[in-house]
Amino acid sequence: MSRRYSRLAESRSQDSAPAGGSLSLPAALGLALLLLAIIGGIVWALTRSRPAELTVLAAMDVSGSHTQEERKKAFGVMHAAYEMVFPSQTPTVLWEFDQKARKVYEGQPVKARDLWPAQDAIVQTEPKAPGTYPEVALQEMQNAARLAEERGARQIVLILMWDGETHDAGMLRNVASQLASDKKIKAVWVIGAKSVQGIRSYAEKLLEPLNDRLIVTGSFDARDGLERLRAILEKEE
């Protein structure tokens, strides 16, 4: 607004203001905006101080077991979970793994597309070392889950984008048992398990300690997994 227009508006408002001390329209509008700003600040402060109740921890297998196209499909399923199940600004940590787990993202995405840069980088990752060790990713998730609980998280979801193969079945079973003892871990969702040669059934057996918190989906039943995840989280609210 120009200074000339501002002075003209002020002069007009003074000339037209009724007796009795009533506020002019510009003054009333300014007061309303000030009140809105104060209320907005209070809401923002309360939101910032309130701990997030849900945390999502996710990891993608980049050992070479999944093709780039399969990685994209798995991330597509994860995208749907953020659009349909997880609230906006859910604290999220994302890793890639082969023999080791490497953190690629940590933040609070407002929308699912906020994860795209990190996911695209993972899709393009070339295998760095032979061997698939999902237990190393789950161990990183376990550590991150403890930190989330300290910050007040009541519900933690683990997403493992993995075909079902492992080079250390005993260790994977042990980690699954440890995760099962943490009651704030509400769901462990394996996305992309392959049904060939009994791989999916074998993965389900290794993760059996998680019982009804385990969700395993492949190429054709991802929607069922999404609905199961929604039901688990709604039940725990």
Side-chain angles (χ1 to χ4, degrees), residues 52-57 81-82 85-93 105-111 115 155-157 233:
E53 294 190 347
L54 172 66
T55 292
V56 175
L57 310 173
Y82 277 86
V85 179
F86 302 144
S88 177
Q89 295 185 292
T90 294
T92 300
V93 186
Y105 173 90
E106 183 170 7
Q108 294 180 246
V110 176
K111 294 184 178 295
L115 294 167
Q155 296 181 314
I156 299 172
V157 172
L233 294 180

Side-chain angles (χ1 to χ4, degrees), residues 122-143:
I122 293 174
V123 167
Q124 298 299 325
T125 297
E126 295 292 336
K128 293 179 172 61
T132 306
Y133 294 84
E135 61 276 1
V136 299
L138 291 174
Q139 286 172 329
E140 290 291 335
M141 293 178 179
Q142 186 178 34
N143 294 333

Side-chain angles (χ1 to χ4, degrees), residues 6 16 39 42 46 52 75 89 150 155 162 166 177 179 184 188 204 217 225 233:
S6 176
S16 60
I39 293 171
I42 293 172
L46 290 174
F75 277 138
Q89 295 185 292
E150 291 174 2
Q155 296 181 314
W162 167 58
T166 179
S177 297
L179 293 173
K184 290 187 178 180
V188 176
E204 290 173 336
T217 59
L233 294 180

Side-chain angles (χ1 to χ4, degrees), residues 201-221:
S201 298
Y202 183 57
E204 290 173 336
K205 188 68 176 177
L206 293 176
L207 298 175
E208 189 177 34
L210 292 160
N211 201 359
D212 57 358
R213 287 181 281 169
L214 176 63
I215 305 170
V216 180
T217 59
S219 301
F220 306 106
D221 56 352

Side-chain angles (χ1 to χ4, degrees), residues 143-176:
N143 294 333
R146 293 193 186 107
L147 292 175
E149 290 168 16
E150 291 174 2
R151 295 172 185 148
R154 294 193 308 109
Q155 296 181 314
I156 299 172
V157 172
L158 275 53
I159 298 176
L160 190 65
M161 288 162 281
W162 167 58
D163 69 343
E165 295 181 292
T166 179
H167 284 73
D168 195 336
M171 179 60 73
L172 179 57
R173 177 86 177 190
N174 289 339
V175 174

